Amino acid sequence: MYWVAGGFIFRRVNSPFHSLDPRVKLLVSAELFVVSLTAYSVTQLAVVMAVMLSIAAVSKILKRVGRTLIFSAGFSVFIFVINLLASHSLLTSAVYSVRFLAIIISTSLFFITTSPDELEQVMKSAHLPRDVVFAFTTAVRFIPVLMLDAIQIVDAQKSRGLEVEKGNLIRRVRKMVPVLIPLVVNSVIRSGELAEAMESRAYGAVSKPTSLHSYSSTKRDKLVAAGSLILFIITVYIYVRFPTPL
Amino acid sequence: MGIATLPDIQRWKGLGSSMGEILRVQNLSFRYPEAAKFAVRDFELTIKGGEIVILAGPSGCGKSTLLRAVNGLIPHMYTGEYLGSVSVGDHKVSEARMSELAQTVGLLFQNPENQIFMFSVERDIAFGLENLAVPPDEMRTRVDEAMRQLGITDLAQRAPHELSDGQKQRVALAGVIVMRPRLIILDEPTSLLDPKTAVELVELVRRLRDETGITFLIVEHRLELLVRIADRLVVMSEGRKVLDGGPEEVLADERAAAYGISIPPISRLRNQLKRDGLPLENGFGPDDLAEELNREALGR
């Protein structure tokens, strides 16, 4: 569980993609998202996947993207089966399930390479309310903490005889109740302490807080943004102008 | 990790160990809504600037409530029946805004994990300053100062989940110190630390007090570590102050153990030797005691 979920935790890596302005990373990721969503042929999807996996390789996050794909594989299979039952076409079903994975990769590229602090900056630049931004970044910040809590609770319950890996799906879900209840209780207690710590550190004292870091786009950021935008427009033009069959 | 001295910090609001009263709790009583009993009753406490005061007492005796009343969480965040008054520096706690109190009283919680919000150490240290809209240049200077002071400059870009408990404690303390408070409250600061890191933290507190004149109010059960640096030991029981004095004086008081205070073994031995008629002076470490016993033996 920790291995798969660990794929979602940000880790600092020195790579050309990591060091981009987070807004540019968001733009590239959004472009890849749209291109993945609108790709209709196997060839188009293959090209988009190849581009995204190349970016992942350059960013040294191929393994982490792999973990994210493992996490999403179940739902991809579900999409495949549902489409197979509905359309009776193997190719259509495959395209839909692969498209889902491509969408996952496009969003993962942004979230795996962007720290919550950068994410906060992006949200602030979108003029979202501070409370919303803070709630979101705090939730992201506490993912590793909650994961460790969950692992400790599972271990504690296992040592008291709980066999979470045994039984059918319904039984396994039922066995998670003794894990979830202490996890929720811990989280509620933690949220109370967090609220006290926020108050003690003047949260909400001014309507426009300042920030230690300010992000400014470099020449490289602007070049990447412009280049990706041009490629995006060309790709969409090709999709529209030369529609290809499955 | 190397720790630098910071002359700038000594300029905080004219701090110095010779300053006057920093905390005055007058006849404070507080009862949480729907609680049958008062958590704190008729509590009186005065702390002078630059003092290190330990607050001890059994679980549930009202220590946490008192801390909340000192840093303003009571009555600003927790409502209830509030009688008496608490003043910190120039502020009357019940009338001051939390943002004002945040710059006067800093609170380090028992579990530092729950007071680290940001994803990098330096961003977290800057959190309080960002909330006060401190200009980025000044913020950078103060954050760097705090990191140097706590010896965590090399952790600046690390994420909280990459830190050890001792490092988290230092990061959380840096987040408090960066606000340049006059009084810092530590709630059981060594409870999650291994013995070596706990000793380092205690030394850090002593050094911060000596260098900056900051006043410390520390809730602690592991008295053997902190009594060496403390000026006073205050004991609470059932919401009231029951003992208050120099640590050696309080630990020698036979009532201390009855109030649930864990008397350090070295203090128990010293008390026994004194009762047996040895004219010992005051001190807390085994080295002090050994030296005195040697002196006594040679004298005879």
Side-chain angles (χ1 to χ4, degrees):
Chain A
M1 184 176 74
Y2 189 84
W3 184 81
V4 173
F8 293 93
I9 298 171
F10 172 79
R11 286 196 181 87
R12 284 176 211 284
V13 176
N14 273 331
S15 85
F17 197 71
H18 278 79
S19 59
L20 283 173
D21 183 315
R23 289 164 294 190
V24 176
K25 282 189 273 189
L26 181 65
L27 174 71
V28 172
S29 187
E31 288 164 352
L32 289 168
F33 180 89
V34 173
V35 168
S36 302
L37 194 67
T38 49
Y40 196 71
S41 72
V42 175
T43 322
Q44 286 169 353
L45 270 173
V47 172
V48 174
M49 289 284 262
V51 169
M52 291 193 294
L53 292 175
S54 304
I55 294 173
V58 169
S59 311
K60 303 172 193 168
I61 54 164
L62 257 182
K63 279 186 183 173
R64 306 196 74 210
V65 168
R67 279 201 235 179
T68 316
L69 289 180
I70 289 171
F71 194 74
S72 319
F75 202 68
S76 179
V77 170
F78 176 74
I79 290 171
F80 180 83
V81 172
I82 293 293
N83 278 288
L84 192 62
L85 291 174
S87 68
H88 301 288
S89 162
L90 208 63
L91 200 58
T92 308
S93 309
V95 164
Y96 278 119
S97 61
V98 174
R99 182 190 285 162
F100 170 73
L101 292 178
I103 288 168
I104 293 291
I105 297 174
S106 68
T107 49
S108 298
L109 281 179
F110 176 71
F111 284 105
I112 294 176
T113 59
T114 306
S115 75
D117 286 350
E118 290 177 321
L119 200 57
E120 181 197 11
Q121 213 59 38
V122 171
M123 293 171 85
K124 274 183 186 169
S125 61
H127 300 289
L128 287 171
R130 190 176 188 227
D131 287 347
V132 173
V133 176
F134 186 73
F136 183 81
T137 51
T138 308
V140 175
R141 143 83 180 97
F142 277 92
I143 288 174
V145 178
L146 291 180
M147 272 167 50
L148 282 177
D149 275 1
I151 289 167
Q152 280 174 357
I153 293 167
V154 167
D155 287 348
Q157 300 292 39
K158 275 183 183 173
S159 71
R160 297 165 66 188
L162 184 74
E163 294 175 317
V164 281
E165 283 102 1
K166 286 192 177 174
N168 59 30
L169 188 66
I170 294 169
R171 281 191 173 181
R172 285 187 189 199
V173 169
R174 271 195 195 159
K175 284 175 182 174
M176 290 311 283
V177 173
V179 175
L180 287 175
I181 289 175
L183 190 63
V184 170
V185 171
N186 277 357
S187 303
V188 170
I189 292 170
R190 194 185 293 282
S191 66
E193 291 181 11
L194 273 172
E196 287 188 357
M198 284 165 63
E199 285 286 330
S200 302
R201 293 174 75 188
Y203 182 82
V206 295
S207 56
K208 285 188 179 172
T210 46
S211 182
L212 181 67
H213 297 145
S214 57
Y215 290 89
S216 54
S217 295
T218 61
K219 204 172 178 182
R220 188 174 74 103
D221 292 322
K222 287 170 188 164
L223 274 174
V224 171
S228 74
L229 211 55
I230 290 166
L231 279 174
F232 174 70
I233 291 165
I234 292 170
T235 310
V236 172
Y237 177 76
I238 291 171
Y239 280 7
V240 175
R241 189 75 181 79
F242 309 105
T244 49
L246 280 176
Chain B
M1 285 180 285
I3 295 171
T5 57
L6 285 172
D8 263 7
I9 294 179
Q10 287 169 335
R11 293 200 293 268
W12 296 355
K13 300 175 182 178
L15 286 180
S17 55
S18 61
M19 63 191 294
E21 213 170 76
I22 183 76
L23 173 69
R24 176 178 282 270
V25 181
Q26 283 180 300
N27 210 22
L28 178 73
S29 296
F30 183 77
R31 181 164 63 181
Y32 290 99
E34 295 173 29
K37 290 199 299 185
F38 276 87
V40 171
R41 284 186 290 177
D42 306 322
F43 201 91
E44 297 273 346
L45 181 68
T46 305
I47 298 180
K48 283 187 285 185
E51 275 191 311
I52 296 177
V53 178
I54 303 176
L55 183 64
S59 298
C61 72
K63 300 187 296 290
S64 297
T65 302
L66 181 69
L67 299 189
R68 286 177 180 144
V70 172
N71 94 323
L73 289 171
I74 292 173
H76 295 289
M77 189 171 163
Y78 294 94
T79 53
E81 197 174 340
Y82 183 96
L83 303 167
S85 72
V86 180
S87 301
V88 185
D90 305 326
H91 301 292
K92 192 170 180 187
V93 168
S94 57
E95 290 167 8
R97 286 180 301 164
M98 278 304 287
S99 57
E100 289 172 330
L101 292 170
Q103 297 169 77
T104 312
V105 190
L107 174 58
L108 182 72
F109 291 84
Q110 191 174 355
N111 185 356
E113 183 82 77
N114 296 344
Q115 69 180 112
I116 298 177
F117 302 105
M118 294 296 165
F119 210 76
S120 71
V121 164
E122 65 174 13
R123 271 298 309 280
D124 188 75
I125 295 170
F127 179 75
L129 300 179
E130 290 182 348
N131 290 331
L132 295 169
V134 171
D137 288 347
E138 187 191 336
M139 203 181 323
R140 167 51 63 194
T141 309
R142 285 170 66 169
V143 168
D144 288 346
E145 276 178 9
M147 287 196 295
R148 278 202 302 274
Q149 185 79 353
L150 273 292
I152 52 172
T153 305
D154 54 333
L155 305 179
Q157 299 301 326
R158 298 268 284 273
H161 64 267
E162 296 168 339
L163 305 175
S164 68
D165 285 339
Q167 288 170 333
K168 281 177 193 163
Q169 193 82 282
R170 281 179 180 243
V171 170
L173 188 54
V176 170
I177 279 177
V178 81
M179 306 288 276
R180 297 182 174 170
R182 302 174 70 182
L183 170 66
I184 294 181
I185 302 170
L186 308 179
D187 189 0
E188 298 189 38
T190 67
S191 62
L192 298 176
L193 304 181
D194 61 77
K196 183 173 174 284
T197 315
V199 169
E200 285 174 5
L201 184 83
V202 170
E203 281 308 312
L204 181 65
V205 168
R206 187 216 301 261
R207 198 175 54 76
L208 283 172
R209 190 277 302 269
D210 292 347
E211 286 181 6
T212 65
I214 297 176
T215 310
F216 283 90
L217 175 60
I218 307 171
V219 168
E220 186 58 70
H221 291 296
R222 290 161 81 170
L223 295 179
E224 66 275 17
L225 283 175
L226 278 156
V227 285
R228 297 181 197 182
I229 63 162
D231 299 299
R232 276 165 64 199
L233 174 57
V234 175
V235 179
M236 278 184 85
S237 177
E238 295 183 352
R240 296 178 195 276
K241 183 174 80 175
V242 288
L243 294 172
D244 183 357
E248 67 281 2
E249 179 194 340
V250 172
L251 292 175
D253 193 312
E254 287 176 358
R255 291 173 296 171
Y259 288 127
I261 301 300
S262 168
I263 311 290
I266 199 75
S267 298
R268 286 208 302 270
L269 177 60
R270 181 177 287 276
N271 293 342
Q272 186 59 49
L273 291 172
K274 276 184 175 177
R275 276 196 294 273
D276 291 347
L278 277 177
L280 297 175
E281 292 168 12
N282 294 323
F284 292 104
D287 296 344
D288 298 332
L289 184 59
E291 196 179 312
E292 284 187 60
L293 289 174
N294 275 332
R295 217 170 31 230
E296 185 64 23
L298 286 172
R300 286 184 180 184

